[in-house]
């Protein structure tokens, strides 16, 4: 893919640094779940085998299944049983949540940013993107959910490997009232959306993931035809920022671009207001389950 060619040396070294770090530990499970989501012939057995390759993840999912189904006579001790009890689609989502959230658990607070706050934002964008796909397009939206969870992973990469520059950038965003992507581009020559897009490209994720994430701050510039996924991610990101759910990387929101995205998608602004009410209820539900 030529999308990220011509990026500077620091961009390329950043991707190499990720390859040798804990961030790449999510690659196998997350790309495996994305493959299962996109293969209509995928089976319970494949999901079971994928999860069981990761013993800590298996243990966490069994613990969740046991606390959700505490009234059962016998304990849930096999992932296959958990899939039957929780459901195939729900368990895919739960496994994604549990795996991706490993990267957001710790880390310093820098200006108004912290990984747990970014995780809350990421879950909200994932849920809202999926709800928009379900309610507006009648689609399952599993890819949208996964893309939402991952879309700001580039920020984690920068906070881990470019600590000094990252602190300066965050200060500029906070004091100068700039959007994160603009501040990153001035200092680094690239921004977090491009970092995450390139990383997923490097991990061989489907093109729609690479493009929707790389262009989640500039939906109309995307050069290929993944319009609905790209613009839905833009819309979900915008709404979550507007409602102050979790970390905000766009203090200066572009309402005109937001409405242009809705027009192109054929979505009425009032529908998004209604879906956002449901999002807040769903966020309260997942929060009560201790997801963040
Ligand atoms: Fe972002
Ligand atoms: Fe975001």
């Amino acid at each position: 893919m030529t999308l990220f060619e011509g990026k500077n040396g620091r961009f390329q070294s950043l991707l190499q640094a990720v390859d040798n770090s804990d961030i790449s530990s999510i690659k196998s499970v997350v790309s495996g779940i994305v493959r299962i989501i996109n293969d209509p012939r995928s089976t319970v057995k494949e999901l079971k085998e994928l999860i069981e390759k990761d013993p800590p993840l298996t243990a966490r999912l069994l613990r969740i299944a046991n606390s959700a189904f505490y009234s059962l006579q016998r304990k849930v001790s096999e992932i296959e049983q958990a899939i039957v009890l929780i459901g195939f689609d729900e368990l895919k989502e739960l496994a994604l949540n549990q795996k991706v959230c490993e990267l957001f658990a710790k880390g310093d607070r820098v200006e108004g940013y912290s990984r747990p706050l970014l995780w809350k934002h990421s879950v909200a964008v994932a849920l809202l993107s999926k709800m928009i796909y379900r309610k507006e397009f009648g689609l399952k939206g599993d890819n949208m959910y996964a893309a939402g969870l991952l879309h700001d992973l580039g920020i984690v990469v920068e906070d881990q490997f470019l600590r000094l520059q990252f602190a300066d950038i965050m200060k500029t965003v906070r004091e100068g009232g700039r959007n994160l992507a603009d501040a990153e581009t001035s200092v680094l020559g690239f921004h977090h959306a491009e970092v995450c897009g390139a990383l997923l490209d490097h991990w061989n994720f489907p093109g729609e993931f690479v493009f929707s994430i790389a262009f989640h701050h500039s939906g109309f510039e995307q050069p290929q035809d993944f319009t609905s996924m790209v613009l839905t991610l833009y819309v979900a990101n915008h709404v979550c920022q507007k409602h102050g759910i979790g970390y905000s990387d766009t203090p200066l929101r572009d309402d005109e671009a937001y409405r242009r995205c809705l027009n192109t998608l054929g979505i009425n602004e009032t529908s998004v207001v209604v879906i956002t009410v449901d999002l807040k209820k769903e966020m309260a539900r997942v929060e009560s389950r201790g997801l963040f």
Side-chain angles (χ1 to χ4, degrees):
M1 193 173 287
T2 55
L3 187 59
F4 307 106
E5 274 172 17
K7 290 285 168 202
N8 61 29
R10 185 150 50 188
F11 186 83
Q12 309 303 340
S13 342
L14 203 51
L15 295 180
Q16 277 170 18
V18 173
D19 264 347
N20 305 314
S21 77
D22 60 328
I23 294 175
S24 64
S25 67
I26 69 163
K27 176 182 159 188
S28 155
V29 169
V30 175
S31 66
I33 293 174
V34 166
R35 188 173 25 80
I36 289 172
I37 287 172
N38 286 287
D39 181 358
R41 295 158 305 169
S42 60
T43 61
V44 167
K45 186 164 170 272
E46 282 169 69
L47 181 60
K48 170 188 169 309
E49 285 173 359
L50 178 73
I51 291 170
E52 284 177 348
K53 275 188 202 149
D54 187 325
L57 176 64
T58 304
R60 280 208 304 279
L61 291 173
L62 290 175
R63 208 161 43 237
I64 292 169
N66 278 306
S67 67
F69 296 94
Y70 58 88
S71 58
L72 287 179
Q73 297 282 326
R74 281 175 45 206
K75 283 189 79 170
V76 183
S77 56
E78 301 281 344
I79 282 297
E80 210 162 343
Q81 269 178 293
I83 296 172
V84 173
L85 286 168
I86 295 175
F88 187 50
D89 286 338
E90 287 73 11
L91 201 85
K92 276 185 289 191
E93 205 166 277
L94 199 56
L96 266 183
N97 286 342
Q98 291 295 317
K99 198 64 206 170
V100 179
C101 131
E102 284 176 14
L103 303 180
F104 290 81
K106 44 188 191 305
D108 299 332
R109 199 177 172 98
V110 182
E111 301 290 333
Y113 161 85
S114 72
R115 287 193 188 188
L117 269 179
L118 182 62
W119 175 239
K120 186 172 184 176
H121 165 74
S122 304
V123 172
V125 170
L127 285 169
L128 185 56
S129 304
K130 183 178 78 172
M131 288 169 163
I132 291 172
Y133 253 51
R134 289 193 172 180
K135 296 202 170 161
E136 295 296 319
F137 308 136
L139 298 168
K140 278 176 78 180
D142 291 347
N143 272 333
M144 271 315 334
Y145 185 85
L149 277 192
L150 297 168
H151 81 285
D152 275 335
L153 191 57
I155 302 180
V156 172
V157 172
E158 289 176 12
D159 100 31
Q160 188 154 326
F161 296 105
L162 300 171
R163 294 181 72 86
L164 291 177
Q165 296 95 328
F166 186 71
D168 280 348
I169 289 166
M170 284 305 185
K171 201 158 182 263
T172 314
V173 168
R174 189 157 218 195
E175 290 174 0
R178 296 183 77 184
N179 286 340
L180 178 61
D182 295 339
E184 288 167 306
T185 306
S186 328
V187 175
L188 303 170
F190 53 82
H191 55 73
H192 66 276
E194 295 169 315
V195 170
C196 188
L199 183 63
L200 297 186
D201 184 32
H202 179 55
W203 287 356
N204 292 320
F205 272 60
E208 56 190 346
F209 274 79
V210 174
F211 278 91
S212 60
I213 288 175
F215 289 91
H216 77 258
H217 286 289
S218 51
F220 286 105
E221 290 168 23
Q222 64 107 8
Q224 281 197 9
D225 196 19
F226 300 115
T227 307
S228 68
M229 199 159 161
V230 175
L231 299 190
T232 300
L233 198 53
Y234 186 96
V235 164
N237 195 60
H238 182 97
V239 171
C240 292
Q241 310 276 4
K242 187 170 154 191
H243 289 265
I245 308 174
Y247 171 69
S248 171
D249 62 4
T250 41
L252 306 176
R253 286 182 310 276
D254 187 342
D255 290 331
E256 201 186 312
Y258 168 67
R259 291 202 186 93
R260 206 144 56 98
C261 286
L262 289 181
N263 273 341
T264 309
L265 289 166
I267 299 176
N268 191 306
E269 211 172 335
T270 319
S271 308
V272 180
V273 174
V274 173
I275 298 172
T276 306
V277 173
D278 290 343
L279 168 73
K280 288 185 176 170
K281 287 184 199 153
E282 189 57 18
M283 286 297 286
R285 197 178 68 84
V286 294
E287 195 155 14
S288 71
R289 289 181 167 187
L291 192 56
F292 37 74

